[in-house]
Amino acid sequence: MVAVVVIAIDIAVKQWTTSTIAGGEPVKLLGGLIYVIYTRNSGAAFSMLSDYTWIFPIIATVVVAALIWMVRSTASMAWTVALGLILGGALGNLVDRIFRAPKPLHGHVVDMFSFLDDHGGHFPVFNVADSALTVGVALAVLLEFTGRRRDGTRAKKDEQDEHA
């Protein structure tokens, strides 16, 4: 359910950005803390590997399959939320890779949020899917470090010390 909500919000915000902001002026929010702009990213995070757009749908498909397998066997609500955020983020950007220009499986991801600058000058521009991925991974790391397992149990103190 978390993944479905993330995908729905991501698609809606990307659609709004594409139809409203593209070709227009950035929208200033919170006194300039955040700007909503329109940009497209052919690469991965920070525009890395932008000449290898075709590889991202393959990687994302493998990640999505692994996440679906993991979520099915997860009994912990916290882990379900973390994996749902990661899954929703991966699927949100995969949708762009498959269906957006320039062509199927080479699509560029729509990004729109820029901190402190109207053109991404201080921090990379990102989207809802990227945010969900980041929060989901941070939550998963926190759960792992605190000994919470996907089956709903907690690691014993000595098992946690071995991982530290």
Side-chain angles (χ1 to χ4, degrees), residues 29-48:
L29 300 174
L30 302 173
L33 177 65
I34 299 172
Y35 287 84
V36 180
I37 66 173
Y38 173 80
T39 187
R40 294 178 49 145
N41 182 4
S42 62
F46 310 106
S47 296
M48 294 186 304

Side-chain angles (χ1 to χ4, degrees), residues 110-129:
V110 173
D111 290 325
M112 74 283 302
F113 298 116
S114 177
F115 279 124
L116 303 172
D117 183 59
D118 62 353
H119 289 90
H122 297 294
F123 190 83
V125 182
F126 59 97
N127 59 40
V128 172

